[in-house]
Amino acid sequence: MKSVFYLLDTAPYGSEKAFGALNAAAVSLNRMHVTLGLYGDGVYLVAAGQDSRKLGVPNLSDILYSYGELRVLVHEPSLFERGLFGETLIETVELVDEEDFLEAMESSDCVLVF
Amino acid sequence: MKSVFYLLDTAPYGSEKAFGALNAAAVSLNRMHVTLGLYGDGVYLVAAGQDSRKLGVPNLSDILYSYGELRVLVHEPSLFERGLFGETLIETVELVDEEDFLEAMESSDCVLVF
Amino acid sequence: MKTLTIVLTDGPYISEYAEIACKLAENALERYQVNIFLYLDAVHIPKKGQIPSFFTSAGELFTGLAKKGAVIRACARCAAARGYIAEEETVNGSNCKDYFPGIKITSLYELSEMLSKSDRVISLPR
Amino acid sequence: MKTLTIVLTDGPYISEYAEIACKLAENALERYQVNIFLYLDAVHIPKKGQIPSFFTSAGELFTGLAKKGAVIRACARCAAARGYIAEEETVNGSNCKDYFPGIKITSLYELSEMLSKSDRVISLPR
Amino acid sequence: MKREEYDIFLLTKPPFSPRSELCLKLAARSGNARLYLAGDGVYYLLSGIEELPGYKVYACQEDLEARAIGDREKVTVPDNFYAVFIEDMMEHCKCAYTF
Amino acid sequence: MKREEYDIFLLTKPPFSPRSELCLKLAARSGNARLYLAGDGVYYLLSGIEELPGYKVYACQEDLEARAIGDREKVTVPDNFYAVFIEDMMEHCKCAYTF
């Protein structure tokens, strides 16, 4: 495998899956071409200004920022549906339509779902 | 609490939740008025003729049959949506429309979600 | 005194329900009796030796709740399946050597007893 | 020889993914190298002492796979959070005294190594 | 003890889940509901949920901050969300549901 | 080694989940797909899923029996579902996806 697509469709903070997907994507960066695809509830991850100190859990947007070389694709229809379009988003992500999102999944050697 | 409504909205066999909800409902029978409400994917539980021997897990329809005094309400719209309407169903269950389903939840002292 | 019962079905860390339950219980314990029933994967919560690098130890949180008076019980069938075995002897309020103090393994019938004696019930499933 | 890697994220019993993974691995092992990476709640799968009354012991199934040649590794961060600690010494193919033989705790980097060396990858999340 | 005639709903699931939709159906039928949003339930604020006559909405501050959901009008954010919820559930409401 | 030009999809989620819908979208785009239904994925047979040109459907026998889903036309139920799937995935297909 030369490329891997991590698909995250679960909301951040409510479950460990977003944290798990981010960590898994990060450790793969030096070996493979890595894409993190945010779909469904996974798109909530890109809201800018997350501050998780009072929850006592890692700040997931900080993790996203600290791996600037990670390619992050956001499924735009999911973003729209969830009312995130007017919100300030993390700048390092790429908003793509469904066609481009599915194509990125298809062009990766494997897809790992979280 | 004199009555409890167990809400199951998860498909049987794929997860332990249906087994868990059935067991919890069964042990409550002698103390409280118990209703098991099947909603969403939970309605798959009422298909007649389940045979889980090859999977090596408990037969959930047998459990349903062995607690005949358990009141089981099935959310009819969920059943329709999932194509179960033409199938043979376990006879001891009650099909109810959304109004009656929600009313049964409201008239129970507590709702436990699985 | 009124009684609140909380039913959990998720293990620690994978969801935030152990932490939410803890916040609910902390606040309720100031005036009420609190019962917590650990069902299905939630029987992992009281496991000793948790060293989460990025989260608060769920085991520590729950043994803290027990110390403040919460009655915390784990389902025997779910616990045994997952490798937590009830012993005859109760030491430090627990009958499982793998569990934090104050948390006991009991029969599922205890859930129905808790429910029948409660004024309010909260279930927090994933 | 071709390599298949299976990534799991659920604990045993709560979902049927441990069993499905096992069936996939059993069949694949006849001709291929099989890796299994246990991530998040899946680090509970190899815990010793499971006595499920109504299911097959997931721990037994997975130690059986290891015996047949599957390389089974658990994420160190997830394992430590849940109370499974890696030790220096490896005994019976495991570096965790709470784990069944043949299953080791390793760094998450092992996942990326497994993936990069695989011909096919299967993830089975809830 | 006299109980006021309202129901409370603790919702911790994000929008679009069948379970949160069931919760909102019950809340809509109540006629006098207090919806407490915690955990991923606070994502409902992005969907424009708001207080209406007979429908109060509370959200948990630390969950809003973690998820970067700024102040919203027509929603109450108490100083101690869980204390307010517990008091409301144990002392005042008619029925209590958690989803 | 020559690979036949089809993609395989292992689906273990029931209908109506966003994840299974994503799986079916990819399968529809493939043009030549083999859909393997196991676990709760076999509930798709109740929704009338069936084989079409360029779209083969396999279902797992023991999962069908447990869930009381009787024989369906236009669906293949192999004697050893997992052996067939592994062979297909490791030796023959172009891309493999699991949902």
Side-chain angles (χ1 to χ4, degrees), chain F residues 26-71:
Chain F
L26 284 169
R29 286 163 59 93
S30 154
N32 201 355
R34 295 193 175 180
L35 185 64
Y36 283 84
L37 301 173
D40 290 338
V42 301
Y43 285 124
Y44 262 102
L45 267 61
L46 294 176
S47 304
I49 205 167
E50 57 175 30
E51 302 197 339
L52 297 166
Y55 196 75
K56 290 200 73 169
V57 181
Y58 297 81
C60 177
Q61 179 72 38
E62 64 253 38
D63 288 320
L64 291 173
E65 288 178 10
R67 290 161 180 85
I69 301 171
D71 282 349

Side-chain angles (χ1 to χ4, degrees), chain C residues 9-14 40-41 44 47-55 77-85 98 126, chain D residues 9-14 40-41 44 47-55 77-85 98 126:
Chain C
T9 53
D10 284 349
Y13 315 115
I14 192 68
L40 304 179
D41 267 0
H44 287 303
K47 184 180 190 303
K48 277 185 194 163
Q50 298 171 35
I51 309 179
S53 320
F54 301 97
F55 304 96
R77 196 248 335 143
C78 310
R82 289 160 178 84
Y84 307 102
I85 311 301
D98 294 331
R126 208 195 314 186
Chain D
T9 53
D10 283 349
Y13 315 114
I14 191 69
L40 303 179
D41 267 1
H44 287 303
K47 184 180 190 304
K48 278 186 197 163
Q50 298 170 38
I51 308 178
S53 322
F54 300 98
F55 305 97
R77 195 235 354 131
C78 310
R82 289 160 177 83
Y84 308 101
I85 310 302
D98 293 332
R126 209 196 313 187

